[in-house]
Amino acid sequence: QSALTQPASVSGSPGQSITISCTGTTSSVGTYNLVSWYQQHPGKAPKLLIYEGSKRPSGISARFSGSKSGYTASLTISGLQADDEATYFCYSSAGGNTYVFGTGTKVTVL
Amino acid sequence: QLELQESGPGLLRPSETLSLTCSVSGDSVGSNYFWDWIRQAPGQAPEWIGKVYYIGRTYYNPSLQSRVTMSVDMSKNQFSLTLRSVTAADTAVYFCASTRCNAGYCSPPEHWGPGTLVTVSS
């Protein structure tokens, strides 16, 4: 399956903005921006933050935003808060009605 | 509000068959959802296992396809996962989730169960 590569860790201070990248090789990432983003706290199920590249489900803070450049999708967290400390995964189609998660990025709030 | 809950054995021996069930409340498994199974080994990223539609249409991860079967039981409002010939590498938290698909595009899983830990050990 196609892989989605993320940095292992990103950190920031409260109030700052951070950006997490997700690099893939399929058209779902490069052409159609059908990348989603999840937040996962330890022991919990992943929570959907962003879908179709930049759309937020109901109830998700506007501090979370998604974008794309070429074959790299990005998640930006603005106004970093203590509760944002979690692991973030991107997700997209791998082609042929199959799906793949990114390698995951652990966010630390300093 | 759609709610999902996984159930099944927590411990298996190598070579046994894993059977998990996901109970759905808040809507019918015959509604316009695909039902997904996703697993996450300790300290690893989630791994998509596959999805099933109530009429029996299935899509599986190619790496697991030879060992996986998914089905829907409308009478019980449940769907299930069967994974044959398990090994220690199948030790993970298993999640069920819902997605919507239309015209060749499936939304990402939005509603998830809390997950159930399955350990494979002799």
Side-chain angles (χ1 to χ4, degrees):
Chain A
Q1 270 195 314
S2 299
L4 295 175
T5 303
Q6 301 178 231
S9 62
V10 172
S11 62
S13 299
Q16 287 186 330
S17 294
I18 61 170
T19 297
I20 302 167
S21 63
C22 170
T23 300
T25 58
T26 68
S27 59
S28 293
V29 178
T31 303
Y32 303 110
N33 197 13
L34 296 177
V35 174
S36 304
W37 289 92
Y38 288 91
Q39 175 193 63
Q40 187 178 32
H41 287 107
K44 301 293 187 181
K47 176 183 179 181
L48 183 64
L49 299 177
I50 298 287
Y51 67 100
E52 293 177 14
S54 60
K55 299 178 181 178
R56 286 186 304 276
S58 174
I60 299 300
S61 171
R63 297 188 302 107
F64 297 95
S65 61
S67 61
K68 182 187 83 75
S69 177
Y71 282 80
T72 298
S74 297
L75 172 71
T76 298
I77 308 174
S78 305
L80 200 62
Q81 300 178 357
D83 190 53
D84 297 333
E85 187 159 294
T87 303
Y88 293 79
F89 297 97
C90 56
Y91 168 95
S92 188
S93 169
N97 291 305
T98 66
Y99 298 85
V100 64
F101 287 86
T103 52
T105 299
K106 181 174 175 57
V107 168
T108 300
V109 180
L110 301 172
Chain B
Q1 174 77 353
L2 193 62
E3 293 188 359
L4 307 174
Q5 178 67 56
E6 307 87 352
S7 60
L11 179 63
L12 289 171
R13 307 291 187 197
S15 79
E16 290 184 333
T17 295
L18 168 65
S19 294
L20 294 176
T21 296
C22 183
S23 297
V24 178
S25 59
D27 209 336
S28 167
V29 290
S31 298
N32 192 28
Y33 291 100
F34 269 78
W35 305 103
D36 284 38
W37 288 98
I38 295 153
R39 70 180 183 179
Q40 188 171 26
Q44 302 298 310
E47 178 182 29
W48 180 79
I49 300 172
K51 60 169 82 247
V52 59
Y53 194 51
Y54 77 97
I55 58 173
R57 184 180 305 169
T58 55
Y59 302 108
Y60 299 141
N61 186 323
S63 68
L64 297 168
Q65 183 164 0
S66 64
R67 298 193 291 133
V68 168
T69 302
M70 296 181 185
S71 61
V72 174
D73 186 338
M74 294 187 64
S75 68
K76 295 182 179 179
N77 217 39
Q78 296 174 338
F79 61 102
S80 65
L81 166 70
T82 299
L83 180 65
R84 297 174 290 277
S85 303
V86 299
T87 69
D90 295 311
T91 294
V93 175
Y94 285 74
F95 296 97
C96 58
S98 66
T99 66
R100 290 188 182 270
C101 300
N102 184 36
Y105 168 70
C106 291
S107 66
E110 181 170 8
H111 300 283
W112 293 61
T116 186
L117 175 62
V118 174
T119 301
V120 181
S121 174
S122 56

